[in-house]
């Protein structure tokens, strides 16, 4: 029993090294195949990583939805007292909290952030209206928050009420579209990998038709004949996945700096992460399994011909 | 033991290569299979190795009814047969010893044992000193002997040869035949297809003659080992 296991293991190692040797004998063809597979993996992987980063960022924002309520300076009933207006808003059960930002505060924050200090100082008067920041009690429910904003803008002392997260809404919808695109792309690339492996294996079979015939004649089993081709599929896909990981890391590395710069301009903490070992490992494993399956189907279609008729 | 019972073979194109063939080859017998080119000799051998399936009738090898075998059983059946081909069917990109080792490698024989048996087989055909050479560097007769070493290395019960001396001059042909006789003496059933009638008269052994796929004559099958030879 132990002896049989040893023979089996030695045989597998033999085939592994034979296959590596064979791939090494045609370096250009092997490298091309591996590169094609690598690119097919890297493309969806890079996109996936970007989408993942955007997703993580917008999830972070969604924690604090707020409505900006801009007040009128005065109504037909006289001047508006912002603090009194805040108290009125707090009586609405849908309002969790209200924060007052005076025109002066608003202007100083704005001039700090925008870098237009001198221009702002040159203004004859403060153009900003008083602002009440409303935190809705409805939490992350976007529809409810939008409705609340509409409701608040109907109040007599309110100029406009803007639900700040409308754009986040759009971003999320867009991210969902891209997510779907990543899945479709991954499927297409998977099909591409299947075809590439199938083609490589078919070429290998053609080159070794004589050998296959002799092995069949001297009593080699189907799995014996199949084995080297399965190794071709497995090895090329595994190397392709490793190379894809390199390509992905390099691409993301090239993106990290410009994206950080862009994010800085928008006061955002957006950063692109690298592909983790777990994801890379899972991708490598599934692509390798895919390669083995593709090779197997291809060889089996050929082996039917060896059956006596 | 090989038994054909009313065996016919029709190829997919409708050609009847064999019609109603019946014979029995006892274990350890040595038999020539003769007939003109196209008579059906190769087809008959292919039915024994299950390269082709009989269209009608039964082929029994030992206890096995070949029409009942499938999948890995076919492979296992082929491992009990050694085949020699007219064109050797050697792998050009492998050394002589690697070629001879092939039947043992597919059987999963352990490495050291493989090496030992390959050397023994090469020794029997007188090519031990050419083990590391590539087939292309050998003469036609030597290549055929490599083919024979490969056929016997797995210690088969049956040895089939399809015109093994077809491409060889008479002296080399006799040497090859002598090799087959040696293997017959260790109780292997030997069946050799040939249209070299010279061989038939020189060796005192069984003959199956085919003509247009029909059995025309089956002379007594005797053990050459018992009956003497040459
Ligand atoms: N695969 C095949 N398909 C169709 N006809 C075949 C095939 N193989 C052999 N034949 C025909 O069957 C007949 C017997 O062939 P074969 O057994 O090779 O004869 P031999 O070996 O005695 O020369 C020939 O007429 C040949 O043309
Ligand atoms: Mg023939």
């Amino acid at each position: 029993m132990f002896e049989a296991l040893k023979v089996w293991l030695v045989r597998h190692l033999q085939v592994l090294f034979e296959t590596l040797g064979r791939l090494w004998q045609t370096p250009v063809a092997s490298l091309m195949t591996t590169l094609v597979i690598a690119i097919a993996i890297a493309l969806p992987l890079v996109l996936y990583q970007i989408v993942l980063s955007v997703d993580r960022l917008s999830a972070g924002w969604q924690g604090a939805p707020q409505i900006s309520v801009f007040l009128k300076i005065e109504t037909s009933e006289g001047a508006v007292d912002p603090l009194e207006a805040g108290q009125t808003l707090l009586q609405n059960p849908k309002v969790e909290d209200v924060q007052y930002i005076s025109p002066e505060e608003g202007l100083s924050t704005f001039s700090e952030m925008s870098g237009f200090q001198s221009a702002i100082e040159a203004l004859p008067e403060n153009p900003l209206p008083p602002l009440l920041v409303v935190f809705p009690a409805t939490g992350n429910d976007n529809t409810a928050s939008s409705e609340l904003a509409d409701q608040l803008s109907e109040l007599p002392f309110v100029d406009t009420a803007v639900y700040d997260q409308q754009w986040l809404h759009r971003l999320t919808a867009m991210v969902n579209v891209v997510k779907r695109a990543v899945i479709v792309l991954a499927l297409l690339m998977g099909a591409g990998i299947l075809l590439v492996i199938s083609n490589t294996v078919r070429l290998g079979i053609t080159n070794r038709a004589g050998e296959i015939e002799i092995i069949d004649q001297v009593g080699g089993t189907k799995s014996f004949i199949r084995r080297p081709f399965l190794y071709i599929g497995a090895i090329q896909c595994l190397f392709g996945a490793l190379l894809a990981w390199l390509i992905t890391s390099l691409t993301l590395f090239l993106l990290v700096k410009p994206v950080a710069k862009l994010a800085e301009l928008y006061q955002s903490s957006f950063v692109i992460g690298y592909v983790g070992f777990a994801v890379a490992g899972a991708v490598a494993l599934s692509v390798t399994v895919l390669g083995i399956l593709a090779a197997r189907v291809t060889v089996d279609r050929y082996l039917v011909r060896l059956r006596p008729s | 033991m090989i038994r054909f019972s009313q065996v016919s073979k029709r190829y997919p194109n409708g050609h009847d290569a064999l019609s109603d063939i019946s014979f029995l080859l006892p274990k350890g017998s040595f038999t020539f299979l003769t007939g003109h080119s196209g008579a059906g000799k190769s087809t008959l051998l292919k039915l024994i190795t299950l390269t082709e399936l009989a269209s009608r009738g039964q082929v029994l090898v030992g206890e096995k009814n070949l029409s009942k075998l499938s999948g890995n059983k076919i492979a296992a059946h082929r491992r009990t047969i050694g085949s020699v081909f007219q064109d050797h069917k050697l792998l050009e990109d492998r050394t002589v010893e690697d070629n001879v080792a092939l039947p043992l490698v597919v059987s999963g024989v352990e490495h050291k044992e493989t090496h030992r048996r390959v050397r023994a087989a090469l020794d029997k055909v007188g090519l031990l000193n050419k083990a590391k050479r590539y087939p292309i560097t050998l003469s036609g007769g030597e290549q055929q002997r490599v083919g024979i070493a490969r056929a016997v290395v797995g210690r088969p019960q049956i040895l089939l040869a399809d015109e093994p001396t077809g491409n060889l001059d008479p002296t080399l042909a006799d040497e090859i035949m002598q090799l087959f006789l040696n293997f017959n003496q260790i109780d292997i059933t030997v069946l050799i297809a040939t249209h070299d009638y010279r061989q038939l008269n020189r060796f005192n052994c069984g003959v199956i003659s085919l003509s247009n796929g029909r059995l025309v004559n089956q002379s007594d099958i005797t053990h050459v080992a018992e009956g003497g030879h040459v």
Side-chain angles (χ1 to χ4, degrees), chain A residues 209-280:
Chain A
E211 185 182 342
I212 292 174
E213 188 201 333
I214 294 171
I215 290 174
D216 182 53
Q217 279 293 316
V218 301
T221 56
K222 299 285 181 250
S223 51
F224 185 94
I225 296 173
R226 216 184 269 134
R227 206 168 293 145
F229 297 105
L230 301 190
Y231 269 95
I232 286 184
I235 289 172
Q236 297 227 305
C237 280
L238 188 64
F239 282 164
L242 292 179
L243 198 59
W245 189 56
L246 269 178
I247 293 175
T248 308
S249 300
L250 193 71
T251 310
L252 292 174
F253 171 76
L254 291 176
L255 284 179
V256 162
K257 262 205 176 146
V259 165
K261 195 135 217 165
L262 192 71
E264 205 182 290
L265 288 176
Y266 285 88
Q267 274 84 42
S268 157
S269 58
F270 180 69
V271 278
I272 293 185
Y274 286 100
V275 176
F277 282 112
V279 173

Coordinates of all heavy atoms in Angstrom, one line a residue, chain A residues 209-280:
Chain A
A209 N 1.1 13.0 -30.8 CA 0.2 12.0 -31.2 C 0.8 10.6 -31.2 O 0.2 9.6 -30.8 CB -0.4 12.4 -32.5
G210 N 2.1 10.6 -31.7 CA 2.8 9.3 -31.8 C 3.0 8.7 -30.5 O 2.8 7.5 -30.3
E211 N 3.4 9.5 -29.6 CA 3.7 9.0 -28.2 C 2.4 8.5 -27.5 O 2.4 7.5 -26.9 CB 4.3 10.2 -27.4 CG 4.7 9.8 -26.0 CD 5.3 11.0 -25.3 OE1 5.6 12.0 -25.9 OE2 5.3 10.9 -24.0
I212 N 1.3 9.3 -27.7 CA 0.0 8.9 -27.2 C -0.4 7.5 -27.7 O -0.8 6.6 -27.0 CB -1.0 9.9 -27.4 CG1 -0.7 11.2 -26.7 CG2 -2.4 9.4 -27.0 CD1 -1.6 12.4 -27.0
E213 N -0.2 7.3 -29.0 CA -0.6 6.1 -29.6 C 0.2 4.9 -29.0 O -0.4 3.9 -28.7 CB -0.3 6.2 -31.2 CG -0.9 5.0 -31.9 CD -0.2 4.8 -33.3 OE1 0.3 5.8 -33.8 OE2 -0.2 3.6 -33.7
I214 N 1.5 5.1 -28.9 CA 2.3 4.0 -28.3 C 1.9 3.7 -26.9 O 1.8 2.6 -26.5 CB 3.8 4.4 -28.5 CG1 4.2 4.4 -29.9 CG2 4.7 3.3 -27.7 CD1 5.5 4.9 -30.2
I215 N 1.8 4.8 -26.1 CA 1.4 4.6 -24.7 C 0.1 3.8 -24.6 O -0.1 2.9 -23.8 CB 1.3 5.9 -23.9 CG1 2.7 6.5 -23.8 CG2 0.6 5.7 -22.6 CD1 2.7 7.9 -23.2
D216 N -0.9 4.2 -25.5 CA -2.2 3.5 -25.5 C -1.9 2.0 -25.9 O -2.6 1.1 -25.3 CB -3.0 4.2 -26.6 CG -4.4 3.6 -26.7 OD1 -5.1 3.4 -25.6 OD2 -4.8 3.2 -27.8
Q217 N -1.1 1.7 -26.8 CA -0.8 0.4 -27.3 C -0.2 -0.5 -26.2 O -0.5 -1.7 -26.1 CB 0.1 0.4 -28.5 CG -0.7 0.6 -29.8 CD -1.6 -0.5 -30.2 OE1 -1.3 -1.7 -30.1 NE2 -2.8 -0.1 -30.6
V218 N 0.7 0.1 -25.4 CA 1.4 -0.7 -24.4 C 0.6 -0.8 -23.1 O 1.1 -1.3 -22.1 CB 2.9 -0.3 -24.1 CG1 3.7 -0.3 -25.4 CG2 2.9 1.1 -23.5
G219 N -0.6 -0.2 -23.1 CA -1.5 -0.4 -22.0 C -1.5 0.7 -21.0 O -1.8 0.5 -19.8
G220 N -1.2 1.9 -21.4 CA -1.3 3.1 -20.5 C -2.8 3.4 -20.4 O -3.5 3.4 -21.4
T221 N -3.2 3.7 -19.2 CA -4.6 4.0 -18.9 C -4.9 5.4 -19.4 O -4.0 6.2 -19.7 CB -5.0 4.0 -17.4 OG1 -4.1 4.9 -16.8 CG2 -4.8 2.6 -16.9
K222 N -6.2 5.8 -19.6 CA -6.6 7.1 -20.0 C -6.0 8.1 -19.1 O -5.6 9.2 -19.5 CB -8.1 7.2 -20.0 CG -8.8 6.3 -21.0 CD -8.6 6.7 -22.4 CE -9.3 5.7 -23.4 NZ -8.4 4.9 -24.2
S223 N -6.1 7.9 -17.7 CA -5.6 8.9 -16.8 C -4.1 9.1 -16.9 O -3.6 10.2 -16.7 CB -6.0 8.6 -15.4 OG -5.6 7.3 -15.1
F224 N -3.4 8.0 -17.3 CA -1.9 8.1 -17.5 C -1.7 9.0 -18.7 O -0.8 9.9 -18.7 CB -1.3 6.8 -17.8 CG 0.2 6.8 -17.9 CD1 1.0 6.5 -16.8 CD2 0.8 7.1 -19.1 CE1 2.4 6.5 -16.9 CE2 2.1 7.1 -19.3 CZ 2.9 6.8 -18.2
I225 N -2.4 8.9 -19.8 CA -2.3 9.7 -21.0 C -2.6 11.1 -20.7 O -2.0 12.1 -21.2 CB -3.1 9.1 -22.2 CG1 -2.6 7.7 -22.5 CG2 -3.1 10.1 -23.4 CD1 -3.5 7.0 -23.6
R226 N -3.7 11.3 -19.9 CA -4.2 12.6 -19.6 C -3.3 13.4 -18.7 O -3.2 14.6 -18.9 CB -5.5 12.4 -18.8 CG -6.6 13.3 -19.1 CD -7.8 13.0 -18.2 NE -8.7 12.1 -18.7 CZ -9.2 11.1 -18.0 NH1 -8.9 10.8 -16.8 NH2 -10.1 10.3 -18.6
R227 N -2.6 12.8 -17.8 CA -1.9 13.5 -16.7 C -1.0 14.6 -17.2 O -1.1 15.7 -16.7 CB -1.1 12.5 -15.9 CG -0.9 12.9 -14.5 CD -0.4 11.8 -13.6 NE -1.4 10.7 -13.4 CZ -1.1 9.4 -13.3 NH1 0.1 9.0 -13.4 NH2 -2.1 8.6 -13.1
P228 N -0.1 14.4 -18.2 CA 0.8 15.5 -18.5 C 0.1 16.7 -19.1 O 0.5 17.8 -18.8 CB 1.7 14.9 -19.6 CG 1.2 13.6 -20.0 CD 0.3 13.1 -18.9
F229 N -1.1 16.5 -19.7 CA -1.8 17.6 -20.2 C -2.5 18.4 -19.1 O -2.7 19.6 -19.2 CB -2.8 17.1 -21.3 CG -2.1 16.5 -22.5 CD1 -2.1 15.2 -22.7 CD2 -1.4 17.3 -23.4 CE1 -1.4 14.6 -23.7 CE2 -0.7 16.8 -24.4 CZ -0.7 15.4 -24.6
L230 N -3.0 17.6 -18.1 CA -3.6 18.3 -17.0 C -2.5 19.2 -16.3 O -2.8 20.3 -15.8 CB -4.2 17.3 -16.0 CG -5.2 16.3 -16.5 CD1 -5.8 15.6 -15.3 CD2 -6.3 17.1 -17.2
Y231 N -1.3 18.7 -16.2 CA -0.3 19.5 -15.6 C 0.0 20.7 -16.4 O 0.3 21.8 -15.9 CB 1.0 18.6 -15.5 CG 1.1 17.9 -14.1 CD1 0.6 16.6 -14.0 CD2 1.5 18.6 -13.0 CE1 0.7 16.0 -12.7 CE2 1.6 18.0 -11.8 CZ 1.1 16.7 -11.6 OH 1.2 16.1 -10.4
I232 N 0.0 20.6 -17.8 CA 0.2 21.8 -18.6 C -0.9 22.8 -18.2 O -0.5 24.0 -18.0 CB 0.0 21.4 -20.1 CG1 1.3 20.7 -20.5 CG2 -0.1 22.7 -20.9 CD1 1.3 20.4 -22.0
G233 N -2.2 22.4 -18.2 CA -3.2 23.4 -17.8 C -3.0 24.0 -16.4 O -3.1 25.2 -16.3
A234 N -2.6 23.1 -15.5 CA -2.5 23.6 -14.1 C -1.3 24.6 -14.0 O -1.4 25.6 -13.4 CB -2.3 22.4 -13.2
I235 N -0.2 24.2 -14.6 CA 1.1 25.0 -14.4 C 0.9 26.3 -15.1 O 1.2 27.4 -14.5 CB 2.3 24.2 -15.0 CG1 2.6 23.0 -14.1 CG2 3.5 25.1 -15.2 CD1 3.7 22.1 -14.7
Q236 N 0.4 26.3 -16.3 CA 0.2 27.6 -17.0 C -0.7 28.5 -16.3 O -0.5 29.7 -16.3 CB -0.2 27.3 -18.5 CG 0.9 26.5 -19.2 CD 1.2 27.1 -20.6 OE1 0.3 27.3 -21.4 NE2 2.4 27.4 -20.8
C237 N -1.8 28.0 -15.8 CA -2.8 28.8 -15.1 C -2.2 29.3 -13.8 O -2.4 30.5 -13.4 CB -4.1 28.0 -14.8 SG -5.1 28.0 -16.3
L238 N -1.4 28.5 -13.1 CA -0.8 28.9 -11.8 C 0.2 30.0 -12.1 O 0.1 31.0 -11.4 CB -0.2 27.7 -11.1 CG 0.3 27.9 -9.7 CD1 -0.8 28.3 -8.8 CD2 1.1 26.7 -9.2
F239 N 1.1 29.8 -13.0 CA 2.0 30.8 -13.4 C 1.3 32.1 -13.8 O 1.7 33.2 -13.5 CB 3.0 30.3 -14.4 CG 4.1 29.4 -13.9 CD1 4.8 28.6 -14.7 CD2 4.3 29.4 -12.5 CE1 5.8 27.8 -14.2 CE2 5.3 28.6 -12.0 CZ 6.1 27.8 -12.8
G240 N 0.3 31.9 -14.6 CA -0.5 33.1 -15.1 C -1.1 33.8 -13.9 O -1.0 35.1 -13.9
A241 N -1.6 33.1 -12.9 CA -2.2 33.8 -11.8 C -1.1 34.6 -11.0 O -1.3 35.7 -10.5 CB -2.9 32.8 -10.9
L242 N 0.1 33.9 -10.8 CA 1.1 34.6 -10.1 C 1.6 35.9 -10.8 O 1.7 36.9 -10.2 CB 2.3 33.7 -9.9 CG 2.1 32.5 -9.0 CD1 3.3 31.6 -8.9 CD2 1.7 33.0 -7.6
L243 N 1.7 35.7 -12.1 CA 2.1 36.9 -13.0 C 1.0 38.0 -12.9 O 1.3 39.2 -12.8 CB 2.3 36.4 -14.4 CG 3.1 37.3 -15.3 CD1 4.5 37.6 -14.7 CD2 3.2 36.7 -16.7
A244 N -0.3 37.5 -12.9 CA -1.4 38.5 -12.8 C -1.3 39.3 -11.5 O -1.6 40.5 -11.5 CB -2.7 37.7 -12.9
W245 N -0.9 38.6 -10.5 CA -0.8 39.2 -9.2 C 0.3 40.3 -9.2 O 0.1 41.4 -8.7 CB -0.5 38.2 -8.1 CG -0.6 38.7 -6.7 CD1 -1.6 39.3 -6.1 CD2 0.5 38.7 -5.7 NE1 -1.3 39.7 -4.9 CE2 0.0 39.3 -4.6 CE3 1.8 38.3 -5.7 CZ2 0.7 39.5 -3.4 CZ3 2.5 38.4 -4.6 CH2 2.0 39.0 -3.5
L246 N 1.4 40.0 -9.9 CA 2.4 41.0 -10.1 C 1.9 42.2 -10.9 O 2.1 43.3 -10.5 CB 3.6 40.3 -10.8 CG 4.7 39.7 -9.9 CD1 5.8 39.1 -10.8 CD2 5.3 40.8 -9.1
I247 N 1.3 41.9 -12.0 CA 0.8 42.9 -12.9 C -0.2 43.8 -12.1 O -0.1 45.1 -12.2 CB 0.1 42.3 -14.1 CG1 1.1 41.6 -15.0 CG2 -0.6 43.4 -14.9 CD1 0.5 40.9 -16.2
T248 N -1.1 43.2 -11.4 CA -2.1 43.9 -10.6 C -1.4 44.8 -9.6 O -1.8 46.0 -9.5 CB -3.1 43.0 -9.9 OG1 -3.6 42.0 -10.9 CG2 -4.2 43.7 -9.3
S249 N -0.5 44.3 -8.9 CA 0.2 45.1 -7.8 C 0.9 46.3 -8.5 O 0.9 47.4 -7.9 CB 1.2 44.2 -7.1 OG 0.5 43.1 -6.5
L250 N 1.6 46.0 -9.6 CA 2.3 47.1 -10.3 C 1.3 48.2 -10.7 O 1.6 49.4 -10.6 CB 3.1 46.5 -11.5 CG 4.1 47.4 -12.1 CD1 5.3 47.6 -11.1 CD2 4.6 46.9 -13.4
T251 N 0.2 47.8 -11.4 CA -0.8 48.7 -11.8 C -1.3 49.6 -10.7 O -1.4 50.8 -10.8 CB -1.9 48.0 -12.5 OG1 -1.4 47.1 -13.5 CG2 -2.9 49.0 -13.2
L252 N -1.7 48.9 -9.6 CA -2.2 49.6 -8.4 C -1.2 50.5 -7.9 O -1.4 51.7 -7.5 CB -2.7 48.6 -7.4 CG -3.9 47.8 -7.8 CD1 -4.3 46.7 -6.8 CD2 -5.1 48.7 -8.1
F253 N 0.1 50.1 -7.9 CA 1.2 50.9 -7.4 C 1.3 52.2 -8.2 O 1.5 53.3 -7.6 CB 2.5 50.1 -7.4 CG 3.7 51.0 -7.1 CD1 4.0 51.3 -5.8 CD2 4.5 51.4 -8.1 CE1 5.1 52.1 -5.5 CE2 5.7 52.2 -7.8 CZ 5.9 52.5 -6.5
L254 N 1.1 52.0 -9.5 CA 1.2 53.2 -10.4 C 0.0 54.1 -10.1 O 0.1 55.3 -10.4 CB 1.3 52.8 -11.8 CG 2.6 52.1 -12.2 CD1 2.5 51.6 -13.7 CD2 3.8 53.0 -12.0
L255 N -1.1 53.6 -9.7 CA -2.3 54.4 -9.5 C -2.4 55.1 -8.1 O -3.0 56.1 -8.0 CB -3.6 53.5 -9.6 CG -4.0 53.1 -11.0 CD1 -5.2 52.2 -11.0 CD2 -4.3 54.4 -11.9
V256 N -1.7 54.5 -7.1 CA -1.8 54.9 -5.8 C -1.5 56.4 -5.6 O -2.3 57.2 -5.0 CB -0.9 54.1 -4.8 CG1 -0.7 54.8 -3.5 CG2 -1.6 52.7 -4.6
K257 N -0.4 56.9 -6.1 CA 0.1 58.3 -6.0 C -0.9 59.3 -6.6 O -1.4 60.2 -5.9 CB 1.5 58.4 -6.5 CG 2.5 58.3 -5.3 CD 3.8 59.1 -5.6 CE 4.7 59.0 -4.4 NZ 6.1 59.0 -4.8
P258 N -1.2 59.1 -7.9 CA -2.1 60.1 -8.5 C -3.5 60.1 -7.9 O -4.1 61.2 -7.7 CB -2.2 59.6 -10.0 CG -1.3 58.4 -10.1 CD -0.6 58.2 -8.9
V259 N -3.9 58.9 -7.4 CA -5.2 58.9 -6.8 C -5.2 59.6 -5.4 O -6.1 60.3 -5.1 CB -5.7 57.4 -6.6 CG1 -6.9 57.3 -5.7 CG2 -6.1 56.8 -8.0
A260 N -4.1 59.4 -4.7 CA -4.0 60.1 -3.4 C -4.0 61.6 -3.6 O -4.6 62.3 -2.9 CB -2.7 59.6 -2.7
K261 N -3.3 62.0 -4.7 CA -3.2 63.5 -5.0 C -4.6 64.0 -5.3 O -5.1 65.0 -4.8 CB -2.3 63.7 -6.2 CG -1.9 65.1 -6.3 CD -0.4 65.2 -6.6 CE 0.3 66.4 -6.0 NZ 1.7 66.2 -6.0
L262 N -5.4 63.2 -6.1 CA -6.7 63.6 -6.5 C -7.6 63.7 -5.2 O -8.4 64.6 -5.1 CB -7.2 62.6 -7.5 CG -8.5 62.9 -8.2 CD1 -8.3 64.0 -9.2 CD2 -9.1 61.7 -8.9
A263 N -7.5 62.7 -4.4 CA -8.3 62.6 -3.2 C -8.0 63.8 -2.3 O -8.9 64.4 -1.7 CB -8.0 61.3 -2.5
E264 N -6.8 64.2 -2.2 CA -6.4 65.3 -1.4 C -7.1 66.6 -1.8 O -7.6 67.3 -1.0 CB -4.9 65.5 -1.5 CG -4.2 66.2 -0.3 CD -2.7 66.3 -0.6 OE1 -2.0 65.3 -0.6 OE2 -2.3 67.4 -0.9
L265 N -7.2 66.7 -3.1 CA -7.9 67.9 -3.7 C -9.3 68.0 -3.2 O -9.9 69.0 -3.2 CB -7.8 67.9 -5.2 CG -6.4 68.2 -5.8 CD1 -6.4 68.1 -7.3 CD2 -6.0 69.6 -5.4
Y266 N -9.9 66.8 -3.0 CA -11.3 66.7 -2.6 C -11.5 66.5 -1.1 O -12.5 66.1 -0.6 CB -12.0 65.6 -3.4 CG -12.3 65.9 -4.8 CD1 -11.4 65.7 -5.8 CD2 -13.5 66.5 -5.1 CE1 -11.7 66.0 -7.1 CE2 -13.8 66.9 -6.4 CZ -12.9 66.6 -7.4 OH -13.1 66.9 -8.7
Q267 N -10.4 66.7 -0.4 CA -10.4 66.5 1.1 C -10.9 65.1 1.4 O -11.6 64.9 2.4 CB -11.3 67.5 1.8 CG -10.6 68.8 2.2 CD -10.6 69.7 1.0 OE1 -11.7 69.8 0.3 NE2 -9.5 70.4 0.7
S268 N -10.5 64.2 0.6 CA -11.0 62.8 0.8 C -9.9 61.9 1.3 O -8.7 62.2 1.0 CB -11.6 62.2 -0.5 OG -11.6 60.8 -0.4
S269 N -10.2 60.9 2.1 CA -9.2 60.0 2.6 C -9.1 58.8 1.7 O -8.7 57.7 2.1 CB -9.5 59.6 4.0 OG -10.8 59.0 4.0
F270 N -9.6 58.9 0.4 CA -9.7 57.8 -0.5 C -8.3 57.2 -0.8 O -7.4 57.9 -1.2 CB -10.3 58.2 -1.8 CG -10.5 57.1 -2.8 CD1 -11.3 56.0 -2.5 CD2 -9.7 57.1 -3.9 CE1 -11.5 55.0 -3.4 CE2 -9.8 56.0 -4.9 CZ -10.7 55.0 -4.6
V271 N -8.1 55.9 -0.5 CA -6.9 55.2 -0.9 C -7.2 53.9 -1.6 O -8.2 53.2 -1.2 CB -6.0 54.9 0.3 CG1 -5.2 56.1 0.7 CG2 -6.8 54.3 1.5
I272 N -6.4 53.5 -2.6 CA -6.6 52.2 -3.2 C -5.7 51.2 -2.5 O -4.6 51.4 -2.2 CB -6.1 52.3 -4.7 CG1 -7.1 53.2 -5.5 CG2 -6.1 50.9 -5.3 CD1 -6.8 53.2 -6.9
G273 N -6.4 50.1 -2.1 CA -5.6 49.0 -1.4 C -5.0 48.0 -2.5 O -5.4 48.0 -3.6
Y274 N -4.0 47.3 -2.0 CA -3.5 46.2 -2.9 C -4.3 44.9 -2.7 O -5.1 44.8 -1.8 CB -2.0 45.9 -2.5 CG -1.1 47.0 -2.9 CD1 -0.7 48.0 -2.1 CD2 -0.7 47.1 -4.3 CE1 0.1 49.0 -2.5 CE2 0.1 48.1 -4.7 CZ 0.5 49.1 -3.8 OH 1.3 50.1 -4.3
V275 N -4.1 44.0 -3.7 CA -4.9 42.7 -3.6 C -4.2 41.9 -2.5 O -3.0 41.7 -2.5 CB -4.8 42.0 -4.9 CG1 -5.4 40.6 -4.8 CG2 -5.4 42.8 -6.0
G276 N -5.0 41.4 -1.5 CA -4.5 40.7 -0.4 C -4.1 39.3 -0.8 O -4.5 38.8 -1.9
F277 N -3.4 38.6 0.1 CA -2.9 37.3 -0.2 C -4.1 36.3 -0.3 O -4.1 35.4 -1.1 CB -2.0 36.8 0.9 CG -0.6 37.3 0.7 CD1 -0.1 38.3 1.6 CD2 0.2 36.9 -0.3 CE1 1.2 38.8 1.5 CE2 1.5 37.4 -0.5 CZ 2.0 38.4 0.4
A278 N -5.1 36.5 0.5 CA -6.3 35.6 0.5 C -7.0 35.6 -0.8 O -7.2 34.6 -1.4 CB -7.2 36.0 1.6
V279 N -7.2 36.9 -1.3 CA -7.9 37.0 -2.6 C -7.0 36.4 -3.7 O -7.4 35.7 -4.6 CB -8.2 38.5 -2.9 CG1 -8.8 38.6 -4.3 CG2 -9.2 39.0 -1.9
A280 N -5.7 36.8 -3.7 CA -4.8 36.3 -4.7 C -4.7 34.8 -4.7 O -4.8 34.2 -5.7 CB -3.4 36.9 -4.5

